[in-house]
């Protein structure tokens, strides 16, 4: 997507760095929301949009966080009006992440009116003790209620995020959560294994020996996920992502289910994107930049009229191709050789032939005449497999 010097970038991410409270496992950049600080952030974000708007024609927009749904109606209005003025509305896919505790009918209507057509709801679990353990601010009831509000408002593309291998979660509890979540009938499901990031309460508890990691149980939960999601009519298209096909419309690219998240597919296929807001990363025509993970500093820089960029890295072509290979392998379709060559100018079969053979020999991958992809077993270890491709 959009990698020539003259083509505008088609993918836009906006980071909203506020949360009501910090979840026990979370290492994303976020901070408590205070009224003045949020208003100042909104003005800075609009300024950053103005700076990059000429280089953007978004086909996908994604508001992530943090908790974007914490912004009030007035703050959303300011951002969305600015996007309208800058010709940044009208994306084919426009996603906003929501916490089930902060969904309202008013906000849902406002977002729809400005062209938001996909909501991603951070559910994580439907078990009250586990929600508490994770430090989530919502209850299971709020999930059902918010899902209903979003459907009534008219959203026909909803994602649910679930988490498995949570300390204290049994296979039975995971099965029950999956069954209830799938019964809601969302179009998309993302499900990640808990990870233990430095400087999080969950990591500290692990270090203190309060619980142990059970890899066999995590594998069994992943198997359960794939089986239940498939039985419920989802197609897996990435390690942690499942989507439905449309009941009537055909998907132009049959490798992907109709409701696959196009914004994330652009990341995995190595496309350019702008990331705005504190801590956000951009990747534009081979140059990666990262904004300061500090909202105060972010606002100060934008108030001076410049983007709040902390670091800039121009990747050598082979390194860039290696990263692209690694990301794309997370997808069930892997890499069609021709598509990889178009995206990177390198041939996967020349540069990485030994690595591909090694993975195939282990049963983690399959080499076909036109493409290379990880097997179901390989997808479970996609991160380790992808490491081989980084140059
Ligand atoms: S709501 Fe999301 S971003 Fe905020 S602390 Fe929890 S996991 Fe992190």
């Amino acid at each position: 997507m959009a990698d020539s010097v003259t083509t505008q970038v088609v993918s836009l991410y906006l980071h909203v760095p506020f949360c009501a409270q910090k979840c026990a496992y979370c290492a994303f950049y976020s901070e408590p929301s205070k009224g003045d600080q949020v208003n100042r952030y909104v003005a800075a974000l609009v300024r950053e949009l103005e700076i990059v708007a000429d280089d953007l024609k978004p086909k996908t927009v994604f508001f992530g966080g943090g908790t974007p749904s914490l912004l009030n109606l007035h703050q959303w209005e300011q951002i969305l009006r600015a996007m309208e003025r800058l010709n940044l509305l009208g994306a084919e896919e426009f996603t906003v992440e929501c916490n089930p505790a902060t969904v309202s009918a008013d906000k849902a209507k406002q977002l729809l009116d400005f062209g938001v057509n996909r909501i991603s709801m951070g559910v994580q679990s439907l078990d009250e003790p586990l929600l508490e353990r994770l430090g989530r601010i919502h209850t299971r009831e709020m999930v059902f209620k918010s899902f209903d509000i979003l459907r009534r408002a008219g959203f026909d593309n909803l994602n649910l995020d679930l988490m498995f291998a949570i300390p204290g979660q049994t296979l039975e509890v995971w099965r029950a959560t999956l069954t209830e979540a799938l019964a809601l009938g969302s179009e998309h499901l993302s499900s990640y294994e808990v990870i233990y990031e430095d400087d999080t309460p969950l990591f500290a508890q692990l270090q203190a020996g309060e619980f142990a990691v059970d890899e066999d149980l995590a594998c069994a939960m992943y198997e359960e996920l794939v089986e239940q999601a498939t039985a419920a009519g989802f197609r897996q298209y990435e390690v942690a992502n499942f989507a439905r096909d449309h009941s009537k419309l055909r998907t132009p690219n049959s490798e992907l289910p109709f409701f696959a998240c196009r914004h994330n597919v652009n990341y995995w296929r190595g496309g350019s994107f702008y990331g705005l807001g504190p801590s956000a990363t951009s990747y534009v025509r081979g140059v990666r930049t990262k904004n300061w993970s500090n909202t105060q500093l972010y606002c100060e820089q934008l108030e001076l009229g410049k983007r709040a960029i902390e670091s800039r890295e121009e990747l050598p072509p082979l390194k860039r191709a290696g990263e692209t290979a690694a990301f794309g392998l997370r997808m069930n379709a892997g890499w069609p050789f021709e598509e990889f060559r178009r995206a990177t100018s390198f041939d996967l079969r020349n540069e990485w032939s030994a690595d591909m053979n090694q993975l195939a020999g282990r049963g983690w991958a399959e080499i076909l005449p036109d493409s290379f992809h990880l097997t179901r077993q390989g997808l479970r270890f996609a991160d380790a497999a992808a490491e081989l491709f980084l140059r």
Side-chain angles (χ1 to χ4, degrees):
M1 281 177 140
D3 260 328
S4 85
V5 179
T6 50
T7 314
Q8 287 165 301
V9 173
V10 297
S11 199
L12 170 64
Y13 173 81
L14 302 104
H15 191 75
V16 182
F18 304 106
C19 290
Q21 73 179 28
K22 197 78 189 164
C23 299
Y25 54 89
C26 179
F28 290 121
Y29 173 65
S30 68
E31 57 179 73
S33 57
K34 286 179 258 132
D36 286 353
Q37 180 79 325
V38 183
N39 288 332
R40 194 175 172 202
Y41 153 82
V42 167
L45 186 70
V46 168
R47 186 75 197 96
E48 198 179 17
L49 278 165
E50 288 167 351
I51 293 172
V52 300
D54 282 350
D55 195 25
L56 266 169
K57 190 160 181 44
K59 286 188 185 165
T60 70
V61 176
F62 197 109
F63 275 85
T67 310
S69 51
L70 268 186
L71 299 179
N72 63 32
L73 292 173
H74 178 65
Q75 289 155 345
W76 271 116
E77 172 99 15
Q78 282 177 288
I79 296 170
L80 295 166
R81 287 267 173 237
M83 289 179 70
E84 186 175 49
R85 169 169 59 82
L86 296 166
N87 286 323
L88 298 174
L89 293 183
E92 289 162 23
E93 180 188 277
F94 189 160
T95 304
V96 172
E97 280 184 348
C98 287
N99 183 298
T102 53
V103 171
S104 71
D106 287 355
K107 222 177 275 176
K109 178 172 183 324
Q110 181 193 38
L111 294 176
L112 267 174
D113 287 348
F114 279 93
V116 175
N117 54 19
R118 183 172 185 272
I119 298 286
S120 176
M121 197 153 66
V123 173
Q124 313 315 349
S125 178
L126 289 169
D127 180 72
E128 290 292 356
L130 289 180
L131 286 172
E132 211 162 296
R133 169 122 211 201
L134 292 173
R136 302 290 297 174
I137 57 166
H138 64 85
T139 61
R140 51 177 273 121
E141 280 317 312
M142 287 177 192
V143 173
F144 301 122
K145 197 168 155 229
S146 295
F147 194 91
D148 196 40
I149 289 172
L150 294 168
R151 279 289 196 236
R152 278 169 196 266
F155 281 102
D156 57 7
N157 189 358
L158 298 176
N159 171 55
L160 302 178
D161 271 349
L162 293 179
M163 203 171 255
F164 65 92
I166 304 165
Q169 188 180 35
T170 62
L171 192 54
E172 288 63 39
V173 167
W174 174 232
R175 278 197 185 117
T177 289
L178 265 177
T179 305
E180 279 190 298
L182 290 168
L184 281 170
S186 66
E187 284 67 33
H188 195 282
L189 175 72
S190 299
S191 186
Y192 292 88
E193 180 174 344
V194 160
I195 44 173
Y196 298 96
E197 306 259 19
D198 287 353
D199 298 328
T200 60
L202 214 58
F203 181 71
Q205 290 162 20
L206 178 66
Q207 295 287 83
E210 289 179 26
F211 57 84
V213 173
D214 185 340
E215 257 311 312
D216 290 341
L217 180 60
C219 279
M221 288 180 172
Y222 186 69
E223 287 296 314
E224 186 70 26
L225 164 69
V226 176
E227 268 161 38
Q228 278 211 38
T230 307
F234 283 91
R235 250 207 289 157
Q236 184 181 16
Y237 67 102
E238 196 262 355
V239 176
N241 285 280
F242 304 78
R244 289 187 194 280
D245 280 304
H246 198 282
S247 56
K248 298 200 184 79
L249 300 173
R250 275 201 49 76
T251 313
N253 173 359
S254 62
E255 270 176 12
L256 295 173
F258 185 88
F259 287 105
C261 176
R262 309 292 148 169
H263 186 82
N264 286 339
V265 168
N266 181 50
Y267 290 144
W268 299 319
R269 284 291 182 234
S272 287
F273 60 91
Y274 273 102
L276 311 186
S279 83
T281 300
S282 297
Y283 179 70
V284 177
R285 304 178 192 99
V287 179
R288 179 181 296 137
T289 55
K290 185 177 178 305
N291 282 356
W292 288 101
S293 298
N294 178 323
T295 304
Q296 167 98 7
L297 194 55
Y298 171 80
C299 293
E300 282 169 11
Q301 295 291 298
L302 266 308
E303 283 157 11
L304 293 171
K306 46 186 180 185
R307 286 189 71 198
I309 292 176
E310 178 192 14
S311 60
R312 182 183 191 280
E313 186 188 12
E314 187 152 1
L315 304 178
L318 185 58
K319 187 170 180 212
R320 185 179 159 191
E323 287 194 1
T324 303
F327 273 127
L329 282 184
R330 297 182 59 84
M331 297 178 66
N332 290 55
W335 273 111
F337 296 126
E338 188 50 34
E339 191 172 346
F340 184 77
R341 203 192 49 72
R342 271 199 308 272
T344 67
S345 306
F346 286 91
D347 191 324
L348 204 60
R349 290 163 293 191
N350 292 343
E351 195 61 43
W352 288 277
S353 137
D355 309 291
M356 286 165 51
N357 284 323
Q358 188 187 328
L359 290 174
R362 246 191 259 173
W364 284 14
E366 195 176 13
I367 306 171
L368 298 174
D370 300 329
S371 67
F372 175 71
H373 69 95
L374 295 185
T375 57
R376 184 159 163 180
Q377 189 194 358
L379 282 173
R380 175 78 187 89
F381 303 103
D383 289 343
E387 287 265 318
L388 291 178
F389 291 79
L390 300 177
R391 289 285 188 268

